[in-house]
Every structure is written in structure tokens, then in C-alpha cells.
Amino acid sequence: MRYSALSILKNGLFGNKGWKPAWRTPAPKPHYDVVIVGGGGHGLATAYYLAKEFGITNVAVVEKGYVGSGNVGRNTTIIRSNYLLQGNNPFYELSMKLWEGLEQDFNFNAMVSQRGVLNLYHSDAQRDAYTRRGNAMRLHGVDADLLDREAVRAILPFLDFDNARFPIQGGLLQKRGGTVRHDAVAWGYARGADLRGVDILQNCEVTGIRQSQGRVLGVETTRGFIGCNKLALAAAGNSSRVAEMAGLKLPMESHVLQAFVSEGLKPFIDGVVTFGAGHFYVSQSDKGGLVFGGDIDGYNSYAQRGNLATVEHVAEAGKAMIPALSRIRVLRSWGGVMDMSMDGSPIIDRTPIDNLYLNAGWCYGGFKATPASGFCFAHLIARDLPQTTASAFRLDRFERGYLLDEKGQGAQPNLH
Amino acid sequence: MSMTLRHHPVLGGKAALRLKDVTLEALPEGHVLQLLAAAPEAGPGLRERIGDSDLRPLAPGQWLLIGNAPLTPEDLTGLEERLKPVADIVDQSHGRVRIALSGPAARAVLAKGTAVNLDAAAFPVGHAAQTLIGHIGAHLARTGEDSFELTVLRGFAESLWDDLAQMAAEFA
Amino acid sequence: MTSYRLSQGGLIDRARPLSFSFDGKPMSGFAGDSLASALLANGQRLMGRSFKYHRPRGVLTAGAAEPNALMTIGKGGRTEPNTRATLQELYDGLTARSQNRWPSLDFDIGALNGLLSPFLSAGFYYKTFMWPAAFWEKLYEPFIRKAAGLGEAAKESDPDSFEKCWAHCDLLVIGAGATGLAAALTAGRAGARVILVDEQAELGGSLLSETATIGGVPAAQFAREATAELEALPNVRTLARTTAFGRYDGNVFGAVERVQKHVATPQVGRPVERLWRIVAGRALLATGAEERPLVFGGNDIPGVMMAGAARSYLNRTAVAPARQMAIFTTNDSGYALARDLEACGVALTAIIDSRPEGAAPGLYKGQARILTDALVRDAHGGKSLSAITIARQGRTETLRLDGLAVSGGFSPVIHLACHRGDKPVWSDAQGAFLAEDRKGLALAGAAAGLSGLAACYEAGARKAVALLDQLGIAATAGSVPTVEGDIVAPATKPLWSIPGIRGKAFIDFQNDVHRADLALAVREGYAHVELAKRYTTNGMATDQGKLSNVNAIGLLAEARGVSPAEVGTTTFRPFYTPVSFGALAGSSHGKHFQPVRQSPLHGWAKKNGARFVETGLWYRSAWFPRTGETTWRESVDREVRTVREAAGLCDVSMLGKIEITGKDAALFLDRVYCNGFANLPVGKARYGLMLREDGFIYDDGTTSRLAEDRFFMTTTTAYAAGVLNHLEFCAQALWPELDVRLASVTDQWAQMAIAGPLARTILQEIVDEDISNEAFPFLGARAVSLFNGALKGRLFRISFSGELAYELAVPAGYGESVADALMEIGKPKGLCAYGVEALSVLRIEKGHVTHNEINGTVVPADLGFGRMVSAKKADFIGKHMLAREGLTAGNRHQLVGVVPLDPAASFRTGAHILAKGAAATLENSLGHVSSSCYSPHVGSTIGLALVRAGSSRHGEEVMIWNGLRGEYTPGRLCDPVFIDPENAKLKI
Amino acid sequence: MASLIACPHCGRRPKEEFTVKGAALARPEPQAGADAWFDHVYLRDNPRGPYQEFWHHTSGCRRWLVVTRDTATHEVEEARDAALWNRETAR
Ligand SMILES: Cc1cc2nc3c(=O)[nH]c(=O)nc-3n(C[C@H](O)[C@H](O)[C@H](O)COP(=O)(O)OP(=O)(O)OC[C@H]3O[C@@H](n4cnc5c(N)ncnc54)[C@H](O)[C@@H]3O)c2cc1C
Ligand SMILES: NC(=O)c1ccc[n+]([C@@H]2O[C@H](COP(=O)([O-])OP(=O)(O)OC[C@H]3O[C@@H](n4cnc5c(N)ncnc54)[C@H](O)[C@@H]3O)[C@@H](O)[C@H]2O)c1
Ligand SMILES: Cc1cc2nc3c(=O)[nH]c(=O)nc-3n(C[C@H](O)[C@H](O)[C@H](O)COP(=O)(O)O)c2cc1C
Ligand SMILES: [Zn+2]
């Protein structure tokens, strides 16, 4: 069923009784060509592109909860391609390009909204770091603008320019950055994949990986054994646990990141702004809530909830950046569990086990990567060759010393 | 070359802040010595070697020795000799600044900064703890039922003073 | 006018009239009124407009769950959008404005959306607005964004202050109704440390709205007497106007106290809100129960109200919600309202009771017509209720009236019990979700599903005893005072759906989610409770589903043919009610966002006219302009030249300084630095590189040996704290067997660099010892006597600038005086003060690195320090990862110098380096300029850069590419040392 | 967790006073070999459940602790001085 203004009109006139489920609820088949673990953005996008771009449709996505119950449904929805390193930037720009045509592609309005991402700087050193970054972007043909203080003031006059502990000196702006409606991404990919024959199996937790002679045979799940020719892991915050079922130990830790939404407000702030003198970033959803967040809590966690101290830190930085936030009330806080990798960059690679593929380590930045991650992972699964822009995301880079460390923090995940 | 050397106490310009229920005052920059024992569990014999100076626990195997009078280099060497081999001394007389907080509201003021439970049962007179007061680290000692002393890094002293003054404002 | 003030009764203070305004209209109320009760008393039942359809809305509740009566109060920086009129106390001069309407509350164009509602069903926006693609950002989205949101926030800063506080107790009691008061009294009398919080302006909970008597006195009076007793106990702290908003790990509760939200002009020196972090030994939730609305057509029309709320307005604030009322109930509690309405003289047309059997016999003695086995199917009216249609035994009947009170049963308020992930359990008997007692926390009273004042009181006391017992505190429950006139309402079967509804039947009032939306969600496959929430937005408004969630779950259960237990709830999360940024931020904002760390030489720098720059928490002197100098560059160039030609003095006090003692100190340093330290002679300093365990450089600095077992380490300013943490880690967690003791002495010493050819001459005037090159050669380090023995300091002959230079450390309190003295001595010889800008130029000219280069991705060899890495040592931090292929590869980024081909041209840090003639692509980027400056010595801009295989590229022509600024500068790579490569100047 | 960590030296203190480093792992012997070192520096068990990690009481006694904490419930089971841990467990 195609979505359009016309279909809304037609259905509206008949009591909205004619709508069909966005995706089916099939029973698991005994065997698939490809089984993807994780019905988050990446798993669903992988299934979608496997079917659409690589013609592999005998695919199941197994999800332990409901579609989008993981980080795709709990992130702060920021998309951008302002990466520094050669191993990263082209990949994220590919993702941005895919976002730009996504909705028409999968016939679902995910509200891809390029209202700009502005990173503030407060010191010469930060300015220089942003200059380096902005130039890396420009070199790859990505839009980037370095704004001075007055240019920032012109866009956001209500930031604290005059009484700040760390005065704002300027900012790096990516105009094509912005936000996307998180849930709609999961739903759009799920619907798109389902239409092409992919089985989406909700409430189906993978509890074991059956192997024989160095090959994966399939997965044990709460809904029985499901066989497959190829097994693809896209379990975001639970990657270590799933990989462990295959005997792999990964270079990552699971950490909790909190996010927040305020009460609904009339338009307050248009694009995304990040504070350079503390941990805070904010945007306003199309529904009117200010969606914001800060740094990770800093300790290993699988609990999907955070700590009051972090809440306070975030609010402090928020009010320091925008004094007018003072009387705005925060409605809800929640947490998401992400795999924080040892260099802050992701992994899309084969594993030492022949037909086992890994997509993991997205830290707090994998939402923006969703389309490219799905596309590149599908490419790897289908062709057994990395897609060029994702060729640096190797699993053995730690052992071999080819790290992708944008922040230079080293092998301590909670510092990335 | 002979010069008149002037000592600049960092809170020297601050008059005591006397509010109705709480008083805030900068204490003289006398001496603050950090005593470091070889092992955390060391410490016996310390008291005998230093006499009845004000010795406040800082961390396992570490103490602050505090007094209102500055020490001469000779005093310091003497102490160092006496403490060997039990503990080493690092002179922090200039690196740490003390602020006294007293009055019936002193506890309420501090509770705005520290998570240490200041209940008399949990933190009796003579107790000390290194802790955060808001965003600033300080060593907190209870010197009386209603009086406390804070020892803070010199660089943060003014900020801590300002914060305390703000926290005390409602008790004016 | 339909609602009105009763001539007598209530807890309001009729002697204290207050004036306020609503949408500019002047009105009046009394002390003790909420904004909502005052509006009702003024006959203002229309209080807001809904989110999507702009339906006219009146107040539905009298408490925290209010979804409709949200308004903007205050002015300027005190503007508060979305304020619940039900919890806002009235004060004199309060200004309130309605929201989400244009041009006015009465006449709102947005209400036209209601006509389009068939096309605006749940999730419609996911299905359209996709063509043409460019229209989304230009047209559709801006329109949607304007329509979205409720109140409008101010863009001004807040003039008032906020603060935070810690508190500790044995027992935290949340909610001060009968249950909470009983618990607090029991625990307080036993001597336990008790904190009792309640979000209402006054303690008492539903007792304040109650007409029953307790111990022979009216319930409200009982509450006041109990409060007085609690306030007199030194071990009890009572906090009214305080909402516990979250339960966190370790039984820490977040609570926010509205200290001065009920006054027109907050008193200066006191916060308007205070954030409490309460560390509770044990906690008791006595948070009561939320009455559930019923889902019939038009259930949102102003004049429809929760029965408990109607009781509260009537009894507590003496306001009649309407003139002609009916009650629609599924349980006995509706009859309590019936009794009270009649007592107040409000006409009661009928009680519509969904139960075939009706109320317990003898419970109700009033006059109203009672319709059992009956349902309200639809309510009618526009901005005010005018009639209801009742369905009973297949027949319908219409009643004309202006007020309808509803009670669909009760949902215990269990939020806080579920914040740490515990799932509530559906109870068929209670027709509600209940939470279980957990370690550290229990529930009692209505929050645990109990009804009846006596039962609640008894339970509160009993649970308090049990919780204290777990802490080893003995308490006794005492006897329950006699309760008279209480109508106890046992749980009844929930009523989810009502057949035959014509109008819109709302579930989530604020977000305009109605019954058909949920049905659609199920039809489209979003039937999981979490998906249904997200697809319809049910429960996502400012009230977080307090009224709507359980009804939605019941309806989903019916639609899916399962029990509510199987549907389950969505996740309870903080905040119980929304909390302001102000409260969460406390005083940490503006200039007080972070503390200031001040150098002991700050005063000296200020006197010398320094311009300061924030560096971490420090303020560092950046440059020292002199009269006539108009740009910072002029001053910096002069300072640099002066240092190279005469001498300069720079404040380096903010370098991290660590004293390391103990008999294994040297061995320890040998393990934490990649180069050797064990053989460092006493009296010498050495430059050290500290690696991370992964082999990359962590920090650098000099360490001097002051005695066999005493070292003095300096770190960079930025990494001072991190290095000490790291060293402590090594000493305590890795090698506790070593005798090594660490103390930060950063604040103990004022440290100044005296650099330049005349440095020695100047310094010798205050240093008592001989500091000639022979007596005190390069890298000498020793204690010195100053001013003829007046002061002891430490002197290090080290140089960041490449000139003859020293760093002198003196006790911080004397720093300013010593610097003054040096300036006085040095001035005639040309000594100047120089700041970090000049320092940076000097070090770039010399090719010295900082964290611009040590950026966490470089290994020693990248910076030309390969030979410093000891091959002899069996172990040091970082040794074992260094040999990896990627860390030794020839094309790694390595340190080089870079200059423009044309000396008049310049470039900046952050520019990329491209091979000459190479296309401008990221693949072609060879690296970047990590530091740059104008070098008076070289006479052009110079830079340090990290460039692929850079050390073998000296002499190569490149393009210095800065597309961000449109600057493309042809340049040449060169040796990174621009001055005195032989280090001759250091050794004179 | 945690809102509060019971420092064995200072008593219960809030998270703000601590710095977390990550898994409490014994450092391999210098000659342990590349695989052991790689495993030590980069690979983590990352369990859901009880977990030992290094916490530093930065704004308190400045001792490094080994905290045993459940990563699913955030319940802290034990916090002990890292030197003690090192002597008794790590070797
Ligand atoms: C608070 C927060 C804010 C963020 N903000 C941003 C942002 O602004 N921009 C950005 O780019 N990124 C952001 N991120 C990161 C981003 O959300 C993630 O990187 C990304 O969503 C991860 O990919 P995913 O969507 O596939 O993950 P998920 O949605 O988490 O998908 C993984 C799925 O695997 C399932 N699963 C796990 N184990 C099993 C099993 N054994 N069996 C079956 N299924 C299993 C999970 O239930 C889950 O649904 C944020 C993350 C968080 C937590
Ligand atoms: N069947 C039932 O479940 C039921 C239903 C309705 C009423 N009742 C009656 O209500 C009374 C119950 O008394 P009770 O003491 O248990 O409840 P209560 O409603 O009298 O008191 C609860 C109090 O807790 C406050 N509160 C709730 N959450 C809070 C939070 N997070 N922070 C601060 N304050 C918070 C409320 O504002 C209220 O003042 C009895 O009379 C009982 O019969 C029972
Ligand atoms: C971008 C974004 C916007 C959100 N806006 C709201 C909102 O307006 N109201 C609300 O109640 N929750 C909102 N949420 C939070 C969700 O209710 C929910 O807490 C979150 O998706 C995590 O799921 P969980 O709380 O069920 O674990 C939002 C979440 C995201 C990611
Ligand atoms: Zn401690």
C-alpha cells in the first residue's frame, strides 16, 4: 500500500478503516539466506538494502523487543557528516546523501530535516580544531562554514554571549546537517524491507549461535532455532553479548547515554547547536519539545537509564549556553545502551568466523550512519567485499594499529 | 639585592562575612603540611613525633598538619627529620587556603555543597573529609558543634569564597 | 457563568483577597486558591486549547496530572510556559495567559483542524508531505513547526536564583496524605531522621479535600495538627511544595522545592527553586492514587471534570464547578462527591453508575436520581458543557446540565517505584497496575491500592515501622484515630470502552489522542504498547499519561483480545512532573558555570596590563599590550623580539606540578616515562615523554631530581589533573609494592619563566647562589636561596623558547612580590612581561610541541622522539603496543615545519597540506598544520604540521589548503626547528 | 551506578567525586607477548551482570578502588582499595 496525500484522503473518507499493517507479523521460517540480529535502524536498513540493492530477499531480521526498541528509538536524531578522518568522512557523507533521498526511496516521511548543525567554539584551540575538521569536510565536498561570534549571534542572539564563563567565539556550521524523526526511520525501513519480502520477527531474542566446523549454522532464539547461510550482527549496545555467543571478544564496552525532552514549546530554536565549553546539545522536534543531551554517564551499563549527576551536568551546560532555558521544564529523561568502541569509530567487517558478519561500535553517533551503515553492511554481506567508504571500519585495526580515533583519546571507551 | 618581600594572602582582602546565622572568615595563611606515609596503613608514631599540632586525616596514609603560624625553613627541616622514616612532608602552606564557617546555619550552608552527611552522629567534631563543595574540591573539618574549616587549593579559594557567600545569603 | 465561589467553607483565607489577570482580564481570588480554583471561582471554565484540534478545554483535575489547564505565567525572564494552573498557587499580581490559540482563546482559528480530523489521524504525517521533496523544509515543516508546541518560552535570561542541596535521612516519605502523615509521625516519634515531602502547597494530601473527621476533628484540621507536631520534631524535616521527581540508584531521590514560586517578587538571596538530592536509608511512597477518566464522546468539553477534583474544588477552595451537575462513576467514590455537592447546595441531577448493582446499600442518603447499569455515551456543548446522553438498557436519555464529574476508578501513583526499571504488575482484583515493595522502598495507602482513610493511616504507620526495623530502628505504630464520615470505595471492574459513542472520545487529552487513533494503531501493526504510544503520541504530553496510559492499555487489551497484564505499561521515567532547567542547573550558569582557578601571579599580570584568556579553569595572561600598540600581533611580536634580544618574564604557574617522593620514586618514573629516569642525577632536570598503555603519547614535561628520593614533575596545564590520576593509578593499582608518594603542588608554587640572553644577569640579582653556566649548567635543577636568604625557591634551567632560560618557583604567596622585584630589576635591561601568545610563538620557532601536536594519535617517532624510547627498559607504560604495524609504518603523520613560499603570504592552523599540484580531495590530504604563528625571527608565518612521511619530505613544495577561508598558500615543508638547531643558545 | 559509591576510606560519596577508568584488569607481565597485551589493552568481556572496574575517588581520598557492580542493576556489591586488590587478586 503506497502512502500519499491521496491515500490519506481516500482512507479518511472511509473512517480510516482501509489501512493495512505497516509490516507483517510472520512466523519464523526454518532457514533464511541471511539472518540479521537486531531490529534497530542498522539491522532494518541492512535488510532493506540487501533486498532492494542486492536482490537478496530471503532475509529475516530478528529483534528481541519491538521494532525500534533500541537506540534508533531513543537517540537525539542528529545527522551530520562533519567528520575529520579519511576513514570516516566519506562514509558519513554517503550516509548524508542517502538521507537526502530516503523518504521518496522508501515511501515514508521520516522528516529528514536539514536545518543545520552548529558546533560552538570558545577558544582558539577549538577554532583551530574546527578549522582542520571543516577543511577535511570541504576537501571531500561537504559543506562547512566557520562562523565568527557575530555571525553566530545573528542566528542565535539568545545564546550567552555576554555573561558567559567561556565566551562563545564562533562556530562550525554544517547547513546540510539536521535531524530525522527517529521512529520513522525504523518504521520506514521495516516497511520497505517487509514489502520486498523480508521477515521481521519481533519478540525474538537470539540466545545462542549454532556453529559447526568454523561456520555458523543459525541462531537459537526464544522462538526456536533459525538456520541461515550468513549471519549478520547489528545488535548495537548488545554487540559484545551477541558476539560472545559465537566465542568472540570485542574491543568495546557498553555504556549508557541519556537523552531528554522538554515540554512542548512554540518554535524556540531552529537547528541543532552544540556547546563547546561543556557537554550539551539541543534541537527542537517538530512536535515542539527541545530534544537534548550531553555526555555519557561514564560507567559500563546495560540498564537503559542514567544518573542524576549527569542530568544536572547537562542542565548546567544547557543554561550556561542558553540562559533562557531557565524556566523551561524538562519533561522526560531516558537512556540508551551503546557499544563504545576502543577508538570511538565503528566496525563493519567480516569476523574470524567465515559466514559471520559484524556491524557494531557505533558509540553515540550511529543514527546518522543508518542508511550508509545498512547499505555498506548489505554490500559486505552480499559481495563479501567492503564498500569503499567503509573499508577502514575493520575489526583487526586495533591489533594492527590502524586506529580511527577522531578524538585521540585512546583505548578508553568512556572518553570518546 | 635587598627587597621588601610581601606575602599576598589570597583571601587577604576579604573581611569576614557575618550574617545572622552564619559567619564566614578567611583564616591566616599559616602552615599546611601534607604528610605522606610510605604505606596507607602506616601512621603509628606520627602523633609522638609531631607533638600536639592539629593533625587532620586526608587519605589513607596522608594527613594535613595545620597551624595558624607560618613555619621557618628551619622548622620545616626539623619536622622532616623528626618524621623520617614514618612520613615525608610536602609543604602546602601556600598551596592551601583555609576558610572557617560557623554559626547555627553552617551545616545548612555546607549541605548545599557537599554530599557528606554532616549529622553530628555521622560527622562528629574532630572529623575531616576531602570532598566536593559544589564543583570545588575542599578538605572539610568539623572544629566544633557549629563550626567547620575548609581547606582549599589556593587557586580556587576566591571561587569557593564567593560560592559560600552565595550559599549563605539566605541566612542573612 | 457556570462555576462560582461558594459563600462559605474551604481552606481559603477570605480575609486575604488577591488580584490577578487571565488573558488580560482582571480577576480576583483568595490566599489558598490555586490559579485553577481562582479561575473557576471567576466563572472562567475555558482555560486552554488542545494541541492538535485546538479543542476548547477546561480544567480536568486539581493536581499534577492536569493535561488541559496549562498557561503561561509571569513576564520577561520569569515567563513560564505550560504552567499547570492546578498546582500554581495564586499570588497577588499573577498574570496568566492561555496558550496555543489565535487570535484568542474564545475564538481560535486552529479549531478548524477539528473538521479535518479524518485526515489528521494518528501518524498521518508519516504518509505524506513527501512530494516535491524540496517542499518539506521550505513549506510543510515550517508550517508544522509553527502549529506544534504549546506555550511560548521567553528568550530573556532569568533574574532569579536557583540552588541545590543534599539531605540524608533514615526514612523519606513521599506524599503527605493520611498515609504519609501516619508514616512520618510514626517514624518521627521513634526518633528516626525523617524527611516528608509533598508537592502541594500544604501537607495533608486528600485530607485537605475531605469532609470526614479523624479523631473527632475535620480531616484538614487533623492534617494541620499532624503537620505542626512534625515540624516541632528536630529529627523531622517537612517539605511542602516539593515534588520528588525521580528515584535514582543508591536510593537517592531527586526532589524540587518551589521555594518562591508562590510570590510575586522573589526575595533576593533565596532561590526560587531548590533541587534536593535526598539520600534515603528507606523510602515510603505514600503518593496516593490517580482517578481515571472515562472514555465517552465529548469527554473533554469544559465542565467535565474528575470527581475527586470536583471534591477538592468544592471542599478545599469553596468553588462549585457548575450549577447543575451529574456524576458518572464506576465505583463508590462518586457518592462522596454527591454527598458533598448536596451539602454545598449544588444541584445534582443524577448519578450514572456503570455497575448493575450500584453502590453499597445505605452508602448514599442524598436526593439525586441514581441510574445504575448506565453509561454516559456522549457529552455535548462547545466551550461549555450543556448536556449529556446516557445509555441505559438499550435506551438513551439526554440530560441538560453544565457539569459532569467522572470517576473511572483509581490508578495508584507508582511512578517512583518504577524509575529503576521495575515493571508494574497488573492486578485484576484492583483493576490497576501495582508496584511491588523493593529493597529500600515500599508503597502504602492509596499508592498500594488501599482505600479508606483508616486503612491508609494504619498502613502508613505499619510500613514505617517495618522499614525502620530494616535499619535497626525500633518504632511502634500506635493506634489509628477514629475516622467518621469516610466513604470507602473498594476497587471495581474497570470500564474501558463505551459502545455507541458519536463524538470524539479522548484518551490523551493534551495530545488529542482519541479512541479511533488507538484503533488505527492496532490496525496498522503498531499494537505493541510502546509502538502504540509512539505512533499515536498517547502519554507523551506534559502529563506523561498520568490520566491516559491505563485507559489506553485497557483499550489496547480489548482490541487485541488480551488482558492488560499482557499489554503491560510503557516505561515510567523521570520526571514525575516536569522540572525546570533552572532547578537542575542550580547556580552553575553564566559566570558561575565553572569555578575560576587563579594563578598566584594573576595580580602581577593584571598590574602589567595583561589580556587574559580562559584556559581550562584558569585565566592565563595572553599578551601585555603597551600604549601605542593597536593590535594583539604588535604586542606579541614585540614580546617575542624582546625575549630573543633581552629577556622576558612569563607566568607558568598553571603547569601541573607533582612532587614524587619515596625510595622507589626513580624506579617509578622509569616505568611511567618511555625514556630513562633512574639514572637522572640529583640536581638535574630531564624532559620526559609519558605514553598511554596503547603506545600513543599522553603528555610531556620536565622532571627534576631534587634529592635521591624526591622528584619534582611538571605536566602540561591541560593534562595536569589527568597525569596525577594516572600516576596514582600506576602507584596504587599497578605497583603498590613500590614506595612512591605523590602530592600535587601546583598551587604551592608560583612559577615564572625568565627567558632571554639577559635572563641570568637579571636573575642573579635575587638568587643568592652562583648561577653561572659552570655552576648551574643547562638542565640544572636545585633549591635556591633568594633575597639574601629571605626566601627559599627552586630554580630550573630549562627552556621552552630556545633561549637561555630559567624557571623559578617560589612559594605562591610571595609570587607576586618576586615577580615585581624581577620586573623592577629587569626593566632597565629591557625585560618585559610576556604571555602565552608569545610563549607559543617562541616554542613554534624552536619546534617544540604541545598538545596541538601531541593530539592522542602520535607516537614518539612521529615527533622525532623515536630515540627517546628506551630499548633497554624491560617495561614501561606503553612499551608493549608500540611495535604494531600501524604505529611503525613509514607513511605515518610526522612532525615537519612549514613556511609559505612567499614570505608575505600567511596561512593558519587547521589548514590541510596537499602535494603541489594535487587535486583538492580528502584522499590527497597529506596532513594538517597543527600550530602556526607569525615569526618575527623568520620574518614570515611559520607552522608545524603533521604530514604523511613528513620527516623525509623536508624541502618539498606543497599547497597549504584552507578552503574554509578561501586561503590557498603555496608553501614548503622544512625542518621543524626554525631557530638555533644546534641548541647553542641554551648552553651559554 | 551509581549515585553513591561506598568508598572504603570515605564512606558513601556521590558519583561526581569519582573518575571511572573501566575494567579492573591485572596488567600482563612485560614479557607476556603481543596477544596478551592486545587482549589487555583492547578487548573487554563487557558482561551484563557483575563487573569489576576501576574507580578513582578523585575529589575525595584520591585512592583507586576496584568496584564490583552489576551492569544491569547498577547495584554495587563491593568497593575495595586497588592496592589491596592488586596484592590479593591481581597477581
Ligand atoms: C541517548 C542517545 C542519543 C543518541 N544521539 C545520536 C544522535 O544524535 N545522532 C546519531 O547519529 N547517533 C546518536 N546516537 C547513537 C545511535 O542511536 C546508535 O548508534 C544507533 O541507533 C545504533 O544502531 P541501531 O539503530 O541499529 O541500534 P538499535 O536500535 O539499538 O538496534 C539494535 C537492536 O538489536 C536488538 N538486539 C540486541 N540484542 C539482541 C538479541 N540477542 N536478539 C535479538 N535482538 C537483539 C536490540 O533490541 C535493538 O533493537 C544516540 C544514542 C543514544 C543512546
Ligand atoms: N481506592 C483507592 O485507591 C483510593 C482512591 C482514591 C482515594 N483514596 C483515598 O485517598 C486517601 C489516600 O491517602 P494517601 O495518603 O494514600 O494519598 P493522598 O492522595 O491523600 O496523598 C498523596 C499525596 O502525595 C502527593 N504526591 C504524589 N506524588 C508525589 C511526588 N512525586 N512528590 C511529592 N508529592 C507527591 C500528592 O500531591 C498528595 O498530596 C484515602 O482517603 C483513600 O481512601 C483511595
Ligand atoms: C527525539 C525524541 C523525542 C521525544 N519526544 C518525546 C515527547 O515529546 N514526549 C515524551 O513523553 N517522550 C518523548 N521521547 C521519549 C520517549 O518517550 C522514550 O522515553 C524514549 O524513546 C525511550 O524509550 P523508553 O523510555 O520507553 O525506554 C522522545 C524521544 C526521542 C528520541
Ligand atoms: Zn575515598
Side-chain angles (χ1 to χ4, degrees), chain C residues 174-180 197-200 204-207 242-244 286-289 410 413 416 444-447 449-453 456 489 576:
Chain C
I174 301 172
T179 311
V197 305
D198 195 290
E199 65 195 346
Q200 307 264 345
S206 57
L207 294 178
T242 303
T243 303
T287 41
F410 293 88
V413 177
L416 293 161
L450 280 190
S451 61
L453 281 174
C456 287
Y576 174 67

Side-chain angles (χ1 to χ4, degrees), chain C residues 636-768:
Chain C
V636 174
D637 286 356
R638 182 217 357 108
E639 288 169 22
V640 170
R641 267 193 222 98
T642 310
V643 172
R644 297 247 182 261
E645 286 155 18
L649 194 162
C650 181
D651 180 9
V652 293
S653 303
M654 44 298 273
L655 291 179
K657 308 183 207 67
I658 301 168
E659 197 114 336
I660 303 164
T661 73
K663 72 176 181 351
D664 298 320
L667 177 59
F668 178 75
L669 288 170
D670 232 25
R671 293 191 190 175
V672 296
Y673 278 130
C674 73
N675 50 329
F677 271 81
N679 61 356
L680 180 68
V682 173
K684 279 289 187 187
R686 179 171 290 168
Y687 177 70
L689 272 186
M690 207 178 274
L691 309 188
R692 301 187 306 228
E693 200 71 280
D694 65 0
F696 295 95
I697 308 180
Y698 181 51
D699 199 38
D700 67 346
T702 55
T703 291
S704 307
R705 192 168 204 162
L706 301 174
E708 204 51 45
D709 60 355
R710 191 174 282 251
F711 292 80
F712 177 78
M713 175 188 282
T714 61
T715 73
T716 61
T717 304
Y719 280 52
V723 169
L724 183 60
N725 291 3
H726 171 65
L727 296 185
E728 285 170 337
F729 176 76
C730 295
Q732 298 169 21
L734 300 185
W735 308 305
E737 67 280 7
L738 299 186
D739 173 14
V740 48
R741 318 172 200 182
L742 302 156
S744 165
V745 290
T746 305
D747 287 58
Q748 167 69 10
W749 300 98
Q751 193 148 319
M752 44 208 116
I754 302 105
L758 300 181
R760 181 183 298 129
T761 330
I762 296 167
L763 207 51
Q764 186 69 77
E765 299 222 14
I766 68 162
V767 179
D768 302 339

Side-chain angles (χ1 to χ4, degrees), chain A residues 166-328:
Chain A
F166 302 102
I168 296 161
Q169 290 188 15
L172 180 67
L173 174 66
Q174 183 182 14
K175 289 202 189 97
R176 283 163 64 241
T179 60
V180 182
R181 172 83 195 158
H182 54 291
D183 290 328
V185 173
W187 301 341
Y189 275 122
R191 180 167 162 274
D194 174 271
L195 274 173
R196 289 165 178 82
V198 173
D199 281 358
I200 294 165
L201 309 172
Q202 303 186 82
N203 299 313
C204 183
E205 177 167 359
V206 172
T207 53
I209 295 177
R210 201 183 284 175
Q211 290 184 65
S212 167
Q213 295 170 339
R215 285 184 65 81
V216 170
L217 301 178
V219 288
E220 316 284 354
T221 78
T222 46
R223 296 174 69 179
F225 176 77
I226 304 175
C228 62
N229 294 340
K230 296 184 174 186
L231 181 63
L233 308 183
N238 284 289
S239 296
S240 295
R241 298 185 60 222
V242 181
E244 197 198 351
M245 297 174 194
L248 299 180
K249 193 168 162 189
L250 298 181
M252 58 187 62
E253 294 178 355
S254 293
H255 282 261
V256 62
L257 177 65
Q258 300 192 60
F260 309 82
V261 65
S262 78
E263 294 183 335
L265 299 167
K266 291 292 170 200
F268 182 82
I269 193 163
D270 195 41
V272 181
V273 194
T274 75
F275 190 41
H279 296 282
F280 181 75
Y281 57 92
V282 64
S283 68
Q284 187 167 16
S285 80
D286 281 351
K287 200 164 156 275
L290 301 181
V291 176
F292 61 96
D295 200 6
I296 58 177
D297 278 25
Y299 43 78
N300 281 45
S301 173
Y302 283 96
Q304 280 198 349
R305 64 190 164 77
N307 187 273
L308 181 57
T310 306
V311 179
E312 293 176 42
H313 278 297
V314 170
E316 288 171 7
K319 188 168 168 183
M321 180 171 106
I322 309 179
L325 290 178
S326 185
R327 302 263 172 163
I328 293 174

Side-chain angles (χ1 to χ4, degrees), chain A residues 66 69 72-77 180-183 259-262 285 287 289 291 304 331-335, chain C residues 511 530 533-534 539-541 544 570-571 573:
Chain A
Y66 56 95
S69 50
V72 70
R74 52 188 71 243
N75 72 87
T76 42
T77 77
V180 182
R181 172 83 195 158
H182 54 291
D183 290 328
F260 309 82
V261 65
S262 78
S285 80
K287 200 164 156 275
V291 176
Q304 280 198 349
L331 176 61
R332 187 174 172 100
S333 68
W334 63 93
Chain C
N511 272 354
E530 296 285 7
K533 160 185 156 175
R534 285 156 176 80
M540 298 181 80
Q544 290 286 285
T570 55
T571 305
R573 297 251 182 215

Side-chain angles (χ1 to χ4, degrees), chain B residues 60 130, chain D residues 7-11 13 17-18 57 60-63 65:
Chain B
Q130 180 73 30
Chain D
C7 174
H9 311 298
C10 307
R13 294 296 186 85
E17 292 192 356
F18 295 85
H57 196 182
C61 61
R62 298 198 63 88
R63 294 296 299 179
L65 312 176

